[in-house]
Amino acid sequence: MILHELVSYDTLRLIWWALLGVLLVGFAVMDGFDLGTAALLPFVAKTDLERRIVINSVGPVWEGNQVWLILGGGAIFAAWPHIYAVSFSGFYLAMFAILMALILRPVAFKFRSKREEPAWRTRWDWVLCIGGLVPALIFGVAMGNVLQGVPFRFAPDMRIFYEGSFLGLLNPYALLAGLVSLAMLLMHGAAWLLLKTEGAVAGRARRFGIAAALATAALYVLAGVLLAKFVPGYQITAGIVDNGPSNPLLKTVVQVPGAWFANYAAHPALWAVPALGAAGALLAAAAMAARRALAALLASGLAIAGIIVSVGVSMFPFLLPSSLDPRASLTAWDASSSHLTLFIMVVVTAIFMPIILAYTSWVFAVLRGKVDADAIREEKTHAY
């Protein structure tokens, strides 16, 4: 027996569907508080010292948190090549905007403190703010478009044709999803600042965090109601084989109102996932109101996990539906790499994921505690 045949093709596809969710949640939780902190910077910190405190709260860890973005992009490229091809070409301008924001963020980190002029530092502070706001918003807009279906099709030779536009991505439901994402990461960033700072900065972060957490819960519930009432889902009617070839054109798919809630109807226990998203945000608000910083950060992380996973659970087995040609929709059963490739990637992931988690845990353990304002004032031990 060939080694990779020890695990069936359909099982490997299911494993990589789950791992994709893990990577997305990991990125949103780990890099999410960086983005949220940057977006809140001009609003929670009023003096140069306060802004340096905020920046130094994420300064030692933000680069390491970017690993989750690289892992996610690499996993999509290797495990789901059709999804990588469609999304990175169809969402090209949106991806470019995200990359520009993410590129400007480290530039702002490095250049802000090179000069002492207030105007110079203020400009870079707003660059950091925009570098946090733009990705947080656009990631949600992208998710809103995925739920509605993306206008792409395949030619018989599997060439991809995307027939949408950047402005078409900015539709009302997608913008609502973007606001959910933005509020969610602002909540997470505020919880992080409550944990890592003291005094006026922590007080302002607490107020913004409570508002963002309540907005997250309200907007998330609103998005779910509108998804059920006005956004048709997708349903496979024939031709799918869970261990068959990766050819999405072999199946038949139709749009059905309320289809994104079929999995919840079939398995009521799954309602615990979206409930976690809404309840986690409310718990985060309550924890911040009670000044329980660690509890607030953990609750906001649970809210993020619940919100992201609820999208995957709703759509399964769909990964990227097509509004232009529903049968071209990409699913976990017909959009993956080969059996051997998925097996090799599982082995590599099993080796390196624990190393990444152990290293990340060690870094956060070493850097625990609040940012020391006196050390920043005296130019000791802090990078920014």
Side-chain angles (χ1 to χ4, degrees):
M1 176 183 290
I2 300 175
L3 187 60
H4 70 273
E5 293 180 353
L6 292 172
V7 184
S8 66
Y9 199 7
D10 57 324
T11 300
L12 285 170
R13 283 169 161 168
L14 190 59
I15 288 172
W16 272 103
W17 173 82
L19 283 174
L20 179 60
V22 169
L23 293 172
L24 291 175
V25 170
F27 169 68
V29 171
M30 299 303 298
D31 204 36
F33 68 76
D34 293 351
L35 297 174
T37 296
L40 288 169
L41 175 62
F43 308 102
V44 299
K46 301 302 182 182
T47 67
D48 183 66
L49 177 61
E50 289 179 349
R51 293 185 178 185
R52 290 186 66 193
I53 289 172
V54 171
I55 292 171
N56 279 283
S57 73
V58 297
V61 297
W62 72 268
E63 289 177 292
N65 292 340
Q66 292 291 301
V67 169
W68 290 94
L69 177 63
I70 298 169
L71 286 174
I76 294 173
F77 173 77
W80 309 102
H82 291 311
I83 295 172
Y84 184 91
V86 173
S87 60
F88 279 73
S89 58
F91 295 160
Y92 183 82
L93 290 178
M95 293 291 182
F96 185 79
I98 291 173
L99 288 176
M100 284 299 297
L102 294 178
I103 290 169
L104 286 173
R105 188 167 57 143
V107 174
F109 274 123
K110 299 300 182 183
F111 277 81
R112 182 194 184 278
S113 297
K114 298 301 183 183
R115 294 170 60 181
E116 295 185 359
E117 290 89 340
W120 169 271
R121 293 189 171 187
T122 298
R123 283 194 293 270
W124 287 116
D125 290 338
W126 281 103
V127 169
L128 281 171
C129 178
I130 293 170
L133 282 170
V134 170
L137 181 65
I138 293 182
F139 281 131
V141 169
M143 190 63 72
N145 279 281
V146 169
L147 284 165
Q148 296 174 92
V150 178
F152 71 92
R153 61 182 176 86
F154 288 103
D157 61 358
M158 297 303 294
R159 285 183 299 159
I160 300 167
F161 292 88
Y162 180 83
E163 300 186 10
S165 66
F166 178 74
L167 292 179
L169 298 176
L170 304 178
N171 56 78
Y173 187 79
L175 290 174
L176 174 60
L179 291 177
V180 174
S181 175
L182 179 59
M184 179 178 76
L185 297 188
L186 290 175
M187 166 188 69
H188 202 43
W192 173 259
L193 287 175
L194 189 60
L195 179 69
K196 297 294 289 183
T197 66
E198 296 177 310
V201 173
R204 297 186 195 107
R206 174 173 166 268
R207 292 192 293 273
F208 276 103
I210 292 171
L214 295 175
T216 298
L219 291 170
Y220 176 56
V221 171
L222 175 61
V225 171
L226 294 179
L227 185 68
K229 298 293 185 181
F230 301 106
V231 180
Y234 292 75
Q235 184 177 21
I236 298 170
T237 56
I240 197 71
V241 179
D242 56 13
N243 61 353
S246 290
N247 185 344
L249 298 180
L250 298 179
K251 65 181 180 299
T252 303
V253 176
V254 295
Q255 284 187 303
V256 179
W260 288 149
F261 291 83
N263 289 334
Y264 296 108
H267 307 283
L270 292 175
W271 281 107
V273 178
L276 178 64
L282 295 176
L283 287 173
M288 282 187 268
R291 294 179 171 82
R292 302 288 298 274
L294 181 58
L297 187 65
L298 293 175
S300 67
L302 289 175
I304 290 171
I307 290 170
I308 294 175
V309 174
S310 69
V311 176
V313 169
S314 298
M315 294 179 60
F316 183 82
F318 289 92
L319 294 170
L320 191 62
S322 170
S323 59
L324 195 62
D325 180 12
R327 70 173 184 144
S329 299
L330 302 175
T331 75
W333 310 129
D334 58 16
S336 73
S337 293
S338 68
H339 192 168
L340 177 60
T341 300
L342 294 184
F343 179 79
I344 292 173
M345 289 177 61
V346 164
V347 173
V348 172
T349 301
I351 294 172
F352 287 100
M353 184 64 78
I355 295 174
I356 293 171
L357 293 174
Y359 171 75
T360 301
S361 300
W362 176 77
V363 168
F364 278 89
V366 170
L367 298 172
R368 66 186 180 275
K370 296 185 182 291
V371 178
D372 188 346
D374 291 333
I376 291 178
R377 190 180 292 109
E378 297 168 8
E379 303 290 341
K380 294 179 179 179
T381 70
H382 289 83
Y384 302 106

